[in-house]
Every structure is written in structure tokens, then in C-alpha cells.
């Protein structure tokens, strides 16, 4: 387990000055009193109490590392679906939003609800591109959900769900696999992806970063693949 200690002094948005974004519409069809109470509790207290959702499937991940910097800058690109916290030594990003090329996803990967984390050195990284058209297998390998830190979900047939169909062509993921932002503030972001029926909560505590995933479909299950090798540039890749 690795954790990141965060200073209390986090600056306001550099790009977007709004402090909070709240939208419960994406999970409307799943909402019951318990789920609503859970989300409202997380937003109000900035704590995750699993007692409210003990009957649901969920998973927790923590990262712990001391950060000496007193300030974290916060960058918000809501229309692009990218949220960033950074300092000279620290970088944290979260992907949650629309798919490019009017939802065609020409250069998109199946990386919705993924995050990247650096503290002096990489901790959780995006693996890169690998190649484009020269080796389709490698192209799909690097743009698959198993290549990213997104929640990985098994369907009822025990198959990993790819939110965007990798078989439509090497420059298309046109499967309505975008994620929806439920809530965003200085130290908390909540996103939802319909294709994998999962809510991901990223919470910046004083002493840690907590990644919490809540699965809303009882027929699905969590899984985790081995991280794939980092591609340091186009044409640089390993298959294992």
C-alpha cells in the first residue's frame, strides 16, 4: 500500500473557479434511499462509510506518501473530462467525461474513470500508445481497459467488459462509453460509467488518497489485470 499525505492548503481552480459540481442524474435509475444517502454522506463528510452499502460490491485502494509542498494547483477541464491536482513533486489526474470526435473516439482509449499518480517518481501510470495501424493486436492491447487504472469489471459470463468496442476499427470506440461527473470539489471527485455500472470516488484526505469503487450491478464482479509494460514512445512496447 502506498499513500500520499496532502497539505490542507489546496488552491482554487486555475481553469474553472467553481468550487462544486453536483449531478445525480447519471445514476437516477439505480437510486434508492440507501445509495442516495451514501452519496450525500460522502459529499457532506468527505468520508466513506461502507456500513450504508454493506450489501453492495465495492473495493478500496489507498496511496500513502509524504508531500512536502504546501500547495496543490487544481486544473479543471470539464468538457474534456480531465481533472488535475499538481505541484512540483506531485501529480494526480482523473479521467471522467466525454469521448472525442463527437463520441467516435478516434484516439480515445478505454480509460474512463482511470487515474495517474506521481510523487517524485511514477506510482500509477498510463502505459501510452504502443503503435497505431502497423500491429492491430498491440494497438488494442494498449487501448484496452486492462491497460489502464480504470475499474475492471467482469460480466455475467466472467468476461472483462470493454466499455468501448475494440473491434470497430483501430480509430473508433463509438460505444457510448463516456463517463458522467456526479460531484467535484477541492478534495473530492465522483464519477460514474454506465457501461461498467460503477461509481468511482477519488478522495484526497490529509494523509492519503483513497480510491473507492462501488458496483451497482449484482450480476457483475470486480477483477484486476496485471499492469502492462509502459510504452516510452511510438513503436516502443513489450507484450509481457
Amino acid at each position: 500500500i502506498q499513500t500520499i499525505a496532502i497539505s490542507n492548503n489546496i488552491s482554487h481552480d486555475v481553469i474553472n473557479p467553481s468550487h462544486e459540481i453536483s449531478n445525480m442524474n447519471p445514476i437516477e435509475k439505480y437510486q434508492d434511499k440507501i445509495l442516495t444517502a451514501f452519496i450525500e454522506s460522502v459529499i457532506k463528510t468527505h468520508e466513506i462509510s461502507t456500513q450504508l452499502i454493506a450489501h453492495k460490491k465495492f473495493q478500496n485502494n489507498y496511496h500513502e506518501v509524504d508531500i512536502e509542498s504546501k500547495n496543490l494547483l487544481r486544473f479543471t477541464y470539464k468538457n474534456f473530462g480531465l481533472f488535475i491536482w499538481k505541484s512540483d513533486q506531485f501529480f494526480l489526474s482523473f479521467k471522467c467525461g466525454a469521448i472525442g470526435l463527437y463520441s467516435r473516439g478516434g484516439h480515445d482509449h478505454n480509460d474512463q474513470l482511470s487515474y495517474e499518480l506521481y510523487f517524485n517518481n511514477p506510482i500509477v501510470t498510463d502505459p501510452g500508445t504502443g503503435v497505431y495501424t502497423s500491429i492491430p493486436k498491440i494497438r488494442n492491447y494498449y487501448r484496452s481497459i486492462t491497460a489502464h487504472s480504470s475499474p475492471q469489471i467482469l460480466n455475467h459470463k466472467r468476461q472483462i467488459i470493454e466499455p468501448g468496442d475494440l473491434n470497430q476499427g483501430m480509430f473508433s470506440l463509438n460505444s457510448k462509453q463516456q463517463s458522467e461527473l456526479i460531484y467535484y470539489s477541492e478534495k473530492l471527485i465522483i464519477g460514474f460509467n454506465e457501461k461498467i455500472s460503477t461509481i468511482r470516488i477519488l478522495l484526497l484526505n490529509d494523509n492519503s488518497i483513497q480510491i473507492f469503487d462501488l458496483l451497482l450491478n449484482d450480476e457483475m464482479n470486480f477483477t484486476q489485470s496485471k499492469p502492462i509494460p509502459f510504452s516510452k514512445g511510438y513503436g516502443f512496447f513489450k507484450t509481457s
Side-chain angles (χ1 to χ4, degrees):
I1 296 177
Q2 295 175 314
T3 302
I4 296 180
I6 306 292
S7 167
N8 287 326
N9 187 9
I10 297 180
S11 72
H12 299 309
D13 282 357
V14 174
I15 303 301
N16 182 350
S18 66
H19 291 111
E20 297 182 358
I21 300 168
S22 186
N23 174 26
M24 296 290 280
N25 292 333
I27 57 171
E28 183 176 7
K29 76 174 188 179
Y30 295 98
Q31 280 192 66
D32 53 33
K33 292 182 179 179
I34 294 175
L35 180 58
T36 300
F38 171 72
I39 296 294
E40 290 177 348
S41 173
V42 173
I43 292 172
K44 181 178 180 180
T45 67
H46 279 209
E47 295 180 356
I48 297 173
S49 174
T50 58
Q51 294 179 348
L52 290 170
I53 48 152
H55 63 296
K56 295 285 187 180
K57 298 173 183 176
F58 58 83
Q59 62 181 9
N60 246 328
N61 188 21
Y62 292 87
H63 296 281
E64 296 183 358
V65 176
D66 289 333
I67 291 181
E68 297 179 358
S69 175
K70 294 181 179 179
N71 293 292
L72 290 179
L73 298 177
R74 188 158 59 109
F75 298 83
T76 304
Y77 304 93
K78 183 175 181 291
N79 292 336
F80 182 65
L82 184 64
F83 304 84
I84 294 172
W85 296 258
K86 67 175 295 186
S87 69
D88 290 341
Q89 299 170 307
F90 174 79
F91 177 88
L92 172 67
S93 68
F94 184 68
K95 183 71 178 293
C96 178
I99 305 301
L101 286 177
Y102 303 98
S103 297
R104 179 177 174 81
H107 284 273
D108 279 272
H109 289 191
N110 278 336
D111 60 355
Q112 289 290 321
L113 303 186
S114 68
Y115 66 100
E116 288 192 76
L117 181 58
Y118 292 76
F119 177 66
N120 293 324
N121 293 294
I123 297 173
V124 178
T125 63
D126 184 287
T129 296
V131 296
Y132 285 150
T133 58
S134 58
I135 311 176
K137 182 178 179 180
I138 297 300
R139 165 74 171 154
N140 284 340
Y141 183 53
Y142 273 87
R143 66 181 185 145
S144 69
I145 195 169
T146 56
H148 299 90
S149 61
S150 308
Q152 295 178 24
I153 306 298
L154 297 174
N155 62 20
H156 67 284
K157 295 181 180 179
R158 306 291 296 175
Q159 300 168 330
I160 292 180
I161 299 172
E162 290 286 354
D165 187 356
L166 298 175
N167 297 316
Q168 297 180 109
M170 287 179 283
F171 288 92
S172 176
L173 285 175
N174 188 17
S175 303
K176 297 182 179 179
Q177 77 276 24
Q178 69 274 0
S179 293
E180 301 288 345
L181 185 67
I182 295 175
Y183 183 84
Y184 172 58
S185 64
E186 280 186 343
K187 295 186 179 182
L188 175 66
I189 189 164
I190 305 175
F192 172 70
N193 188 277
E194 175 68 32
K195 286 284 186 173
I196 55 175
S197 300
T198 300
I199 294 173
R200 169 160 279 186
I201 300 171
L202 192 154
L203 177 62
L204 284 75
N205 298 307
D206 291 337
N207 299 309
S208 68
I209 290 176
Q210 183 176 3
I211 312 295
F212 182 87
D213 298 328
L214 178 62
L215 187 55
L216 302 183
N217 188 322
D218 292 336
E219 294 185 352
M220 297 178 180
N221 287 285
F222 290 110
T223 188
Q224 187 61 52
S225 301
K226 181 181 177 181
I228 75 170
F230 177 72
S231 171
K232 63 181 181 179
Y234 183 81
F236 292 89
F237 60 85
K238 295 180 180 178
T239 56
S240 62

